[in-house]
Amino acid sequence: MASGDYVSIVTPDDTSYDGFVIALSDAFVLLQNIESWRVDGVRVFPLGQIAEIRHDDVRKGQQAVLEWRGVDRGDRYEWLDLGDFQALFESVRARGVTVVVHDEEVCDLGVVIAATAAAVELRPIDTGGNWEDEPWSVSYDDIWHVGIGDDYSAVLRAYADRTPA
């Protein structure tokens, strides 16, 4: 697997996520997420939470279709720091973007308030598009992957921001 490859990344629960590898580090794989033949943000996968990476003839064929369709691969997310979780979330906090933090059972959506050596603290947005009153803390040990720039979180964030909290 190399930067630019179209792959499926499989998490421990056997869920697969398809996309173009746009960056690799000693800690993470940054995947330009593809949903229904279009870009839908990125996902950051900790290497320890990847059960399998598939880069086979099926994915190579899908990559050819995506390239034929002219899928926009312009946003490379160079501003993301892929050194470790704390650096990752500090770079997200500096941008003020919404994140979706996925663990084994749920996903937490919000903006990063703080990042420590062990956890990220979010100002959460509920599934109805409302800011929650209490911050949430998510331990890095529980994170399977992090979504950034996807339509789901962008819509809920825009809805939450429609009136002051």
Side-chain angles (χ1 to χ4, degrees):
M1 174 186 66
S3 185
D5 286 346
Y6 187 76
V7 301
S8 289
I9 293 181
V10 182
T11 56
D13 67 348
D14 205 35
T15 302
S16 66
Y17 300 89
D18 297 334
F20 290 98
V21 175
I22 57 174
L24 301 164
S25 74
D26 291 338
F28 301 106
V29 173
L30 179 61
L31 187 77
Q32 185 180 43
N33 194 51
I34 301 294
E35 295 282 336
S36 302
W37 302 106
R38 64 177 183 76
V39 175
D40 191 25
V42 294
R43 292 182 190 265
V44 182
F45 292 90
L47 294 179
Q49 293 294 355
I50 296 174
E52 180 183 2
I53 297 175
R54 298 177 185 143
H55 180 63
D56 51 23
D57 289 341
V58 170
R59 276 61 183 189
K60 291 175 185 173
Q62 291 170 337
Q63 180 170 345
V65 172
L66 288 161
E67 289 171 348
W68 170 79
R69 286 201 70 225
V71 168
D72 180 13
R73 296 175 58 200
D75 194 349
R76 308 300 286 179
Y77 288 78
E78 285 96 1
W79 54 270
L80 277 175
D81 187 331
L82 299 177
D84 60 23
F85 272 121
Q86 187 172 4
L88 170 72
F89 286 116
E90 284 296 336
S91 64
V92 169
R93 186 186 62 74
R95 280 279 176 131
V97 297
T98 310
V99 296
V100 184
V101 179
H102 297 261
D103 65 21
E104 182 176 359
E105 298 176 12
V106 298
C107 64
D108 300 314
L109 185 142
V111 295
V112 175
I113 298 169
T116 67
V120 60
E121 187 173 323
L122 299 175
R123 179 179 181 211
I125 301 170
D126 68 21
T127 56
N130 301 296
W131 290 107
E132 294 280 335
D133 293 330
E134 297 296 319
W136 292 344
S137 181
V138 182
S139 169
Y140 300 147
D141 292 337
D142 295 332
I143 297 174
W144 284 23
H145 58 92
V146 177
I148 303 166
D150 60 288
D151 290 341
Y152 179 79
S153 64
V155 168
L156 286 179
R157 170 73 182 271
Y159 187 79
D161 284 346
R162 73 196 182 285
T163 56

